[in-house]
Amino acid sequence: MEQYEPDRLTPAQVAAMRRSLRNGRAAMTRRSLLRVSAGGALAAGGIGALSGCGIPAAGKTAGGMSAQDHSAQEKAVNFSNWTEYIDVDDKGKGHPTLDTFRRRTGITVKYTEDINDNNEFFGKIKPQLAAGQDTGRDILVLTDWLAARLIRLGWVQKLDPSNLPHAYTNLSPQFRDPDWDPGRAYSYPWQGISTVIAYNKKALDGVEVRSVSDLLDNPKLKGRVGFLSEMRDSMGMTLLDMGKDPAKFTDDDFDAAIARLQKAVDKGQIRRFTGNDYTSDLTKGDLAACVAWAGDVVQLKADSPDVDFVIPDSGYMTSTDNMCVPNKARHKTNAERLIDFYYEPEQAAALAAYINYVSPVEGVKPYLAKIDKDAANNPLIVPDKAMQAKSHAFRSLSPKEETAYEEKFAKLTGA
């Protein structure tokens, strides 16, 4: 198991973090789309602040550290999530799905929107987790790379399958077996996030865009192409276009993808690497086409008839936000019951109808159609089997790889 050591950030990791905080996923509102996924680059104020604090290695056995479970005596669960990432009632205060859970089970959910950035939140909870203390939370929603890190450190608990019958049965095949949590022993997805190609039909003026190669090689698009400033998204899409699997690529593969993007930068094909700010450029037509986040595309399509998207034949990138139960949580069984509740298709549909992310629940479509037919038929919210088959995840990186890859990507983007 990985031991916790208070590392110091490399310049490349600092650059990655600042990109995300300035204009990447960390800068977005919840419904507009995600946040930092700088894959293990830990916030300067977090790791740096602990560098001299003498917090010991975790030293826990695989499966995390349990505490006495008070679920039977205390009908409560403490749930920490991102902002604007759950259904809200007409008054803008209550959460209908949580109300349903409480009425059915008698368990009260203390729902806290206290996650604004993976790095920042990790800095908040790691002193307690490293010291083997209760964080005061029973469920955390963490982006895949950070969930993977906490699993490696032994800071989250192994889930009890007997409390997760709906989750086990209804989890979509595309999210079932990530390399960082095979078989989903420690986590279940809250929602999925897809990276696709978006375009402005008016700005293309008849030019066809169906692949990353079209973005990089068609001279008619020179200076009107955008890529994302998030390394995993842009590099993953480029690797796929080159016939490489983002789950299995080598250092040489990564270097070849960097060289390919560098060539496009040098000849002025790529206008810039962006965070969420590409949305205004795409809507105005300053960008004719770009690598984009599907959650943005859903909203942009609703507002602009010129914006649309394409899934390349080579595939697209998908990441997840994941529910985990931290060490020493007081209400593990209650937490597992809540996780399982959101894998009932009816509840998953109520959530998807409001937030418009990729539902990880198989069988959600007919329930969602009763609420919103357009959402149910939108492959960016409910991917069909053909689209699921094109989904790929970026493999886990070692600390050494993380440093090397971020340095190369930072040099490419000029960060």
Side-chain angles (χ1 to χ4, degrees):
M1 178 185 300
E2 178 181 340
Q3 296 292 301
Y4 174 67
E5 296 179 0
D7 353 65
R8 292 187 182 277
L9 292 177
T10 67
Q13 289 173 326
V14 172
M17 178 196 68
R18 286 174 176 166
R19 285 198 308 272
S20 292
L21 290 172
R22 183 175 63 248
N23 62 2
R25 292 177 177 176
M28 305 174 198
T29 63
R30 193 77 214 106
R31 296 194 69 186
S32 179
L33 197 65
L34 210 17
R35 64 246 139 231
V36 62
S37 64
L42 301 172
I47 282 245
L50 287 177
S51 295
C53 291
I55 291 178
K60 307 296 184 284
T61 57
M65 179 184 288
S66 61
Q68 182 179 353
D69 192 348
H70 297 269
S71 292
Q73 298 79 27
E74 300 175 4
K75 295 292 186 179
V77 63
N78 298 317
F79 185 2
S80 282
N81 204 349
W82 297 77
T83 59
E84 299 183 55
Y85 209 15
I86 197 171
D87 54 312
V88 179
D89 63 21
D90 292 338
K91 295 181 180 179
K93 295 182 179 180
H95 306 295
T97 54
L98 293 181
D99 292 340
T100 299
F101 179 77
R102 176 184 53 77
R103 288 194 301 269
R104 182 192 299 179
T105 65
I107 298 170
T108 298
V109 180
K110 180 183 178 182
Y111 184 77
T112 308
E113 296 182 330
D114 60 346
I115 307 178
N116 293 303
D117 171 75
N118 281 298
N119 295 321
E120 177 187 38
F121 188 70
F122 183 69
K124 184 186 299 184
I125 62 175
K126 70 187 173 205
Q128 295 157 298
L129 290 172
Q133 298 171 353
D134 180 15
T135 65
R137 301 167 176 88
D138 301 305
I139 297 177
L140 312 174
V141 178
L142 306 172
T143 304
D144 44 20
W145 66 265
L146 183 55
R149 184 172 177 85
L150 265 64
I151 291 170
R152 291 196 304 268
L153 288 165
W155 288 357
V156 295
Q157 298 186 55
K158 195 168 186 177
L159 301 173
D160 183 349
S162 67
N163 292 328
L164 297 159
H166 296 99
Y168 181 81
T169 300
N170 296 332
L171 176 60
S172 172
Q174 76 177 105
F175 300 121
R176 233 172 230 286
D177 202 33
D179 67 348
W180 48 270
D181 187 14
R184 291 290 181 179
Y186 298 89
S187 68
Y188 271 89
W190 175 248
Q191 298 289 284
I193 306 99
S194 300
T195 303
V196 299
I197 293 176
Y199 58 86
N200 184 307
K201 288 178 279 189
K202 186 176 180 180
L204 284 179
D205 193 24
V207 175
E208 185 176 55
V209 170
R210 302 202 59 82
S211 68
V212 169
S213 289
D214 291 334
L215 298 181
L216 295 176
D217 300 332
N218 192 327
K220 293 182 179 179
L221 299 179
K222 183 176 180 179
R224 300 190 296 141
V225 168
F227 274 71
L228 293 169
S229 57
E230 300 291 349
M231 185 265 285
R232 281 166 172 74
D233 296 314
S234 286
M235 293 303 296
M237 293 292 281
T238 304
L239 285 164
L240 284 171
D241 190 71
M242 297 172 67
K244 303 299 181 180
D245 186 348
K248 299 177 181 178
F249 68 90
T250 65
D251 287 348
D252 288 343
D253 295 333
F254 187 89
D255 288 345
I258 284 283
R260 188 158 187 234
L261 288 172
Q262 186 66 61
K263 181 179 178 181
V265 170
D266 291 343
K267 68 181 182 181
Q269 184 77 5
I270 297 176
R271 182 184 182 94
R272 61 193 183 104
F273 290 83
T274 73
N276 178 248
D277 51 328
Y278 71 83
T279 56
S280 61
D281 287 347
L282 184 64
T283 302
K284 291 186 295 184
D286 292 339
L287 286 176
C290 61
V291 177
W293 290 307
D296 286 339
V297 177
V298 171
Q299 300 299 321
L300 292 175
K301 277 176 60 65
D303 296 333
S304 172
D306 293 326
V307 174
D308 212 334
F309 74 98
V310 64
I311 303 296
D313 289 340
S314 60
Y316 67 102
M317 298 302 297
T318 300
S319 57
T320 51
D321 284 333
N322 309 275
M323 296 176 281
C324 305
V325 178
N327 284 357
K328 292 291 187 176
R330 286 181 64 87
H331 312 108
K332 180 173 184 284
T333 298
N334 290 346
E336 290 166 339
R337 291 183 69 183
L338 183 58
I339 292 170
D340 194 62
F341 171 79
Y342 278 105
Y343 274 81
E344 297 176 13
E346 185 175 3
Q347 310 308 327
L351 183 63
Y354 190 84
I355 63 176
N356 293 163
Y357 282 75
V358 178
S359 175
V361 179
E362 191 82 351
V364 72
K365 185 171 182 176
Y367 294 88
L368 183 55
K370 296 177 182 178
I371 305 170
D372 186 335
K373 289 185 178 179
D374 289 340
N377 292 320
N378 189 333
L380 298 181
I381 300 173
V382 185
D384 56 25
K385 290 185 178 180
M387 186 167 175
Q388 288 181 16
K390 292 184 177 183
S391 170
H392 296 266
F394 205 91
R395 70 172 174 83
S396 299
L397 300 179
S398 69
K400 182 178 179 181
E401 288 176 323
E402 182 68 44
T403 298
Y405 293 169
E406 285 291 359
E407 285 177 349
K408 292 173 182 178
F409 190 71
K411 183 178 180 181
L412 168 73
T413 62

